[in-house]
Amino acid sequence: DIGAESPVQIVCGAPNVAVGQKVPVATIGTTLYTKEDESWTIKKGKIRGEVSMGMICAEDEIGLGHSHDGIMVLDKDFPAGTPAREVFELNEDVVFDIGLTPNRSDATCHMGVAQDFVAAMKVQHQSDVQFIKPTINPIVKSAENALAIDVQVLDAEACPRYAGVCINNIKVGPSPDWLRNALQAVGVRSINNLVDITNYVLHEFGQPLHAFDYEKIKGKAIKVQTLAEGSTFLSLDEKERTLKATDLMICDANDKGMCIGGVFGGLDSGVTEQTTSIFLESAHFSPISVRNTSTHHNLRTDAAKVFEKGSDPSICVDALNRAVDLIVELCGATVASDVIDIYPEEVKPKQIAINYNRVNSLIGANLSIENIHHILTSMGMELSNETEHSVTVAVPTNKFDVLREVDVIEEILRIYGYNNIVFEERINAALSYYTGVDKNQFRNMVADLLAANGCKEMMGLSLVRSTFLEKLNLGYEENSLVYINNTSTPDLDVMRPNMLINTLETVLYNQNRQSSDIRLFEFGKEYAKDGEKNSEVEKLTITISGSNTPESWLATGRNVTNFHSLKSLVHTVLTKVGIQQYQENTVEDKYFEIGLQYTKGPKEIVTFGKVQTDVITAAGIKEEVYFASFDVDNLIKMSTKGKSKYDPISVYPVVRRDLAFVLNQEVKFAEIKKIISNTDKKRIKDVNLFDVYENEEQLGVNKKSYAISIKLEDKTKTLVDKEVDNIINKVIKSVQHKLDVQIRK
């Protein structure tokens, strides 16, 4: 019965459904928001052959909690058909989701955002809207059931201010609806009235609070201090954590940690439903101390996020008073001690002088002195030492990042409004002449070249998984790797020592998705550690695998990628940047099964080859992988020396002669090519290897045959046979003289 003319049929499989219950029902056409940015609409449907005209809801399905154990069962006093909003006493409201940047310590709470909003309204809309703080009553100690606590702050640098108060006769229970709804609106789950109050004040004031069970505080004393390196602490999540010597701890009289200051509470001193008395802490901790501890232990709590930005030391007692008011009202508690406030050196507003001309110069506007003053006072900043050209601004203590004149000017611009800056239609620019190689233009040129040759650009992460690195078994020493304490993705913990590593992950990713024909290039950096010094080198890499051509009925077989496919791309790059002269060396190492390295003197240009089979297998890749790595800085430096020049096509014909050499297996084609080319540099235009033949029976042991074509050309005349024969005879004699070869006829 949903209050309509007749009952409707709804199929429900919840374990707690029963006759006579009052339940929340989502009727046909209702849109439910089950997850962030995800929704679905209830439609008429069939479940196990039966028509279903809606859905009986659990609390998580209508956004009133997280439980999905069963349907919600409601008070029977409500007539069928009552809107759920009335049943749950929900008011229609708007939630503003702001994009808070990390530097805005003042806007981590509702009051901070409200103050900023008021300033913008006053300046940009000439509104008389006022900022009204919540009423804060001073804490009054009850004469009955007094409790005592001794507080010592032994590290005032990490904890400049520490305040607290003892509270008795607490009745822990559910929070009232208004408090639950307020927390739910900002995505905080209701726990109980005591915990909910501390969360409410955190979001209202931007001041984290922490409640200790008074009965669990040994010796009824609190020490704010660090503990010895390696000390252990049992946190609220029941994990034992090993402390650093710099971790600030809230300890009891026995120097046992009860809480990591500003970060996380302890299991042994936490508040439970049986708690009747507490010590409520409201402190200001050093952002650096909290950030280091939070990052090291990977504890990204709401409190730590506030403290590491820089909390406001001036509101510690106000926030404490606000929380105590609510605890007395909602928990039936009494104040059992005076307020403890240890504040040895008051943090006062920073006094920063600003120059009016400097303000307008940086902003790009022409603000009057009165307008500048209006903006500053709207943000609650007091002014002093006014002159014709400048004024001194007292920056509130909640603006932790405003330290210099330029920071104050940024605040002025923010409230004045970026969109209110007028831009001229004409843009003035000065011409500059640069004789060197522009790095960005160089990258774009090479990228365009490789893209035109069928390669796709990839952008791998600079971080790799140490587990994957170990799996590849490349033999890296641990002290040569740059480790990162990555709190957001802990398994990505090493800066890549070689770009091949995450390239292999990319190849595997594509291969697992039936995309095994790969031609990739990437600009990136490799990282290494040598003692205390870290280094990074920029590289250009090319990776090919699979087939060179797509499948086609015209092709008789796969044109499989090989070493020479990669070599062709490498030479294409070198030719484009104007590098023609270099030394060639063979490479066989932990990366390459077969490979070459081109160098110029001691400087490496490129190393390329077939990746080791063991490495490929360890990575889980099934195809052969060919990989090239250029040193970008050396590539750029050497490219400046090579000049591109235009050489017109000769009007005279090219003559080709073919020779076959029988030679030892260890002789490389590059050696023969160099000898042939030097025989007659003017008329020998090209030397090419077009066939390799191996047969022990015909050629002999450890022998091979190279079939080589030689192209000759004279730009001044047509070569006759006699001239060609003379050149070829010189080539044969030169090769035979310098190498142990035979001419096949």
Side-chain angles (χ1 to χ4, degrees):
D1 180 4
I2 61 171
E5 292 182 3
S6 59
V8 297
Q9 178 167 292
I10 295 176
V11 179
C12 179
N16 63 329
V17 68
V19 175
Q21 292 173 330
K22 290 287 176 69
V23 294
V25 172
T27 55
I28 291 174
T30 302
T31 300
L32 298 180
Y33 297 87
T34 52
K35 293 181 180 178
E36 185 179 354
D37 298 329
E38 290 185 18
S39 63
W40 58 294
T41 302
I42 302 296
K43 298 178 181 178
K44 178 182 176 181
K46 270 194 174 184
I47 300 177
R48 297 177 187 172
E50 296 292 338
V51 174
S52 185
M53 304 287 289
M55 186 176 82
I56 305 174
C57 301
E59 66 176 39
D60 68 325
E61 292 166 334
I62 53 177
L64 291 177
H66 299 273
S67 173
H68 195 72
D69 295 336
I71 59 171
M72 295 183 73
V73 180
L74 309 175
D75 194 313
K76 293 184 180 181
D77 292 341
F78 297 105
T82 303
R85 181 186 291 115
E86 296 177 16
V87 175
F88 298 109
E89 298 181 357
L90 298 177
N91 297 319
E92 189 167 330
D93 202 351
V94 176
V95 174
F96 293 94
D97 190 0
I98 63 172
L100 185 63
T101 52
N103 63 313
R104 293 298 305 281
S105 60
D106 60 313
T108 55
C109 61
H110 284 74
M111 283 173 56
V113 173
Q115 282 179 305
D116 224 39
F117 178 73
V118 166
M121 290 295 291
K122 285 182 176 180
V123 172
Q124 297 182 25
H125 302 281
Q126 292 74 49
S127 170
D128 61 352
V129 63
Q130 299 296 316
F131 172 64
I132 303 172
K133 288 184 179 181
T135 303
I136 301 172
N137 300 311
I139 296 174
V140 179
K141 175 185 174 184
S142 172
E144 300 177 358
N145 302 318
L147 301 176
I149 196 88
D150 176 40
V151 177
Q152 300 176 52
V153 178
L154 303 178
D155 190 341
E157 183 178 349
C159 179
R161 188 174 191 181
Y162 192 91
V165 66
C166 296
I167 306 172
N168 208 349
N169 300 323
I170 295 172
K171 297 179 181 65
V172 177
S175 295
D177 288 341
W178 71 263
L179 181 53
R180 289 166 56 93
N181 292 339
L183 292 176
Q184 182 183 328
V186 294
V188 178
R189 184 168 62 93
S190 175
I191 306 296
N192 57 52
N193 51 7
L194 185 56
V195 175
D196 289 355
I197 288 168
T198 60
N199 283 329
Y200 183 82
V201 173
L202 167 64
H203 286 87
E204 184 179 49
F205 274 77
Q207 174 58 47
L209 304 170
H210 188 74
F212 298 91
D213 190 319
Y214 180 81
E215 298 302 325
K216 297 176 182 177
I217 302 174
K218 303 296 183 185
K220 300 302 176 276
I222 282 179
K223 296 180 180 179
V224 184
Q225 62 183 8
T226 55
L227 297 176
E229 183 84 25
S231 300
T232 57
F233 169 69
L234 187 62
S235 53
L236 268 175
D237 55 1
E238 300 184 8
K239 292 183 180 178
E240 187 172 84
R241 302 182 184 275
T242 302
L243 302 176
K244 297 189 301 176
T246 54
D247 292 336
L248 187 69
M249 302 296 296
I250 314 300
C251 303
D252 59 20
N254 300 331
D255 295 329
K256 181 181 179 182
M258 299 187 294
C259 173
I260 303 177
V263 179
F264 209 45
L267 186 65
D268 295 336
S269 62
V271 171
T272 66
E273 293 184 358
Q274 288 72 45
T275 298
T276 58
S277 57
I278 64 168
F279 174 74
L280 186 63
E281 167 195 282
S282 177
H284 170 65
F285 297 107
S286 160
I288 297 173
S289 172
V290 171
R291 190 182 305 118
N292 288 340
T293 297
S294 170
T295 303
H296 175 75
H297 294 289
N298 197 22
L299 291 169
R300 309 298 297 159
T301 60
D302 288 340
K305 290 175 184 177
V306 171
F307 282 127
E308 69 183 13
K309 286 182 175 68
S311 66
D312 184 1
S314 70
I315 64 167
C316 289
V317 173
D318 283 349
L320 189 66
N321 289 352
R322 173 70 164 153
V324 170
D325 262 358
L326 292 171
I327 292 171
V328 169
E329 177 187 346
L330 304 181
C331 303
T334 56
V335 180
S337 75
D338 293 323
V339 174
I340 297 165
D341 185 15
I342 301 175
Y343 199 12
E345 188 173 342
E346 183 181 352
V347 178
K348 296 182 179 179
K350 293 178 283 292
Q351 302 292 323
I352 300 175
I354 64 166
N355 181 279
Y356 302 131
N357 290 334
R358 175 79 168 155
V359 171
N360 286 322
S361 173
L362 284 181
I363 288 178
N366 188 23
L367 302 182
S368 66
I369 293 175
E370 291 74 20
N371 201 359
I372 293 173
H373 288 188
H374 178 50
I375 294 172
L376 292 170
T377 54
S378 296
M379 289 188 287
M381 298 186 181
E382 296 181 1
L383 308 179
S384 61
N385 301 329
E386 295 181 34
T387 70
E388 182 182 349
H389 304 289
S390 66
V391 67
T392 299
V393 180
V395 180
T397 51
N398 68 335
K399 293 184 180 293
F400 185 79
D401 68 310
V402 181
L403 305 171
R404 306 161 297 167
E405 179 191 33
V406 69
D407 298 328
V408 177
I409 295 173
E410 182 185 4
E411 292 291 287
I412 294 172
L413 173 59
R414 199 169 51 75
I415 299 301
Y416 176 71
Y418 294 102
N419 292 335
N420 291 326
I421 302 299
V422 178
F423 291 92
E424 294 183 6
E425 293 184 1
R426 188 178 69 180
I427 297 176
N428 298 320
L431 293 175
S432 62
Y433 177 70
Y434 180 57
T435 57
V437 177
D438 182 273
K439 208 167 189 177
N440 290 326
Q441 289 182 356
F442 182 86
R443 289 197 199 97
N444 290 337
M445 177 190 71
V446 175
D448 289 344
L449 174 74
L450 290 170
N453 279 271
C455 297
K456 293 182 172 66
E457 184 170 10
M458 66 168 278
M459 295 178 68
L461 292 174
S462 295
L463 291 166
V464 296
R465 294 175 288 130
S466 58
T467 51
F468 186 70
L469 202 55
E470 292 170 5
K471 183 179 176 182
L472 298 181
N473 194 28
L474 292 170
Y476 283 107
E477 296 290 337
E478 189 170 335
N479 57 8
S480 69
L481 299 173
V482 181
Y483 283 89
I484 297 293
N485 186 14
N486 188 353
T487 56
S488 57
T489 314
D491 58 333
L492 291 172
D493 55 348
V494 176
M495 302 295 285
R496 59 184 175 196
N498 191 292
M499 288 175 63
L500 172 64
I501 295 158
N502 53 355
T503 301
L504 292 178
E505 289 190 292
T506 303
V507 172
L508 178 63
Y509 181 91
N510 281 273
Q511 176 189 278
N512 290 342
R513 286 155 182 79
Q514 285 72 53
S515 180
S516 57
D517 297 338
I518 291 168
R519 293 169 77 88
L520 301 170
F521 73 93
E522 179 184 9
F523 285 95
K525 291 184 178 179
E526 296 175 349
Y527 305 86
K529 186 176 183 180
D530 184 7
E532 295 299 317
K533 185 180 179 182
N534 294 333
S535 64
E536 55 185 67
V537 180
E538 186 172 2
K539 297 283 187 176
L540 161 66
T541 63
I542 302 173
T543 307
I544 60 175
S545 182
S547 176
N548 276 326
T549 55
E551 283 185 307
S552 171
W553 63 275
L554 293 170
T556 56
R558 291 185 72 201
N559 182 8
V560 180
T561 295
N562 56 37
F563 176 82
H564 297 285
S565 307
L566 179 64
K567 186 177 181 182
S568 175
L569 283 172
V570 169
H571 282 214
T572 299
V573 172
L574 294 178
T575 301
K576 180 68 175 178
V577 302
I579 299 177
Q580 297 176 346
Q581 302 296 325
Y582 44 77
Q583 293 82 46
E584 180 181 303
N585 305 293
T586 57
V587 173
E588 290 183 20
D589 59 11
K590 60 186 177 183
Y591 299 115
F592 295 111
E593 197 166 290
I594 55 169
L596 291 176
Q597 184 179 73
Y598 294 165
T599 59
K600 212 163 191 179
K603 292 183 178 180
E604 174 193 343
I605 303 173
V606 60
T607 303
F608 62 97
K610 178 186 175 185
V611 180
Q612 287 280 4
T613 303
D614 290 346
V615 175
I616 297 300
T617 304
I621 298 169
K622 298 173 184 176
E623 300 275 356
E624 292 180 346
V625 176
Y626 296 88
F627 181 78
S629 176
F630 294 83
D631 187 300
V632 172
D633 288 336
N634 289 341
L635 205 60
I636 291 174
K637 289 174 185 176
M638 294 175 191
S639 70
T640 60
K641 298 175 183 177
K643 294 181 180 180
S644 298
K645 63 178 182 179
Y646 168 70
D647 192 6
I649 298 174
S650 175
V651 296
Y652 299 103
V654 174
V655 179
R656 168 172 167 160
R657 291 287 188 268
D658 294 344
L659 295 173
F661 294 97
V662 178
L663 61 162
N664 294 330
Q665 286 282 0
E666 61 269 14
V667 177
K668 300 181 182 64
F669 168 66
E671 298 178 54
I672 297 178
K673 182 178 180 180
K674 185 177 180 181
I675 294 170
I676 295 174
S677 299
N678 289 337
T679 303
D680 193 329
K681 292 182 179 181
K682 286 186 178 181
R683 290 183 289 185
I684 295 178
K685 297 302 179 184
D686 185 51
V687 181
N688 180 54
L689 174 68
F690 65 87
D691 186 45
V692 178
Y693 177 69
E694 295 179 2
N695 187 317
E696 285 191 5
E697 292 182 4
Q698 294 184 10
L699 301 178
V701 179
N702 197 32
K703 295 290 183 179
K704 62 184 176 181
S705 173
Y706 277 170
I708 295 172
S709 67
I710 303 170
K711 291 182 179 179
L712 303 101
E713 177 188 68
D714 192 319
K715 292 184 180 293
T716 62
K717 63 179 181 177
T718 299
L719 290 170
V720 296
D721 288 345
K722 187 176 181 180
E723 291 175 303
V724 173
D725 291 341
N726 287 335
I727 296 171
I728 295 300
N729 288 331
K730 286 181 182 178
V731 166
I732 294 171
K733 289 179 181 179
S734 183
V735 173
Q736 288 179 328
H737 175 69
K738 295 179 180 179
L739 296 174
D740 180 16
V741 300
Q742 295 176 354
I743 303 297
R744 293 182 67 195
K745 299 180 180 179

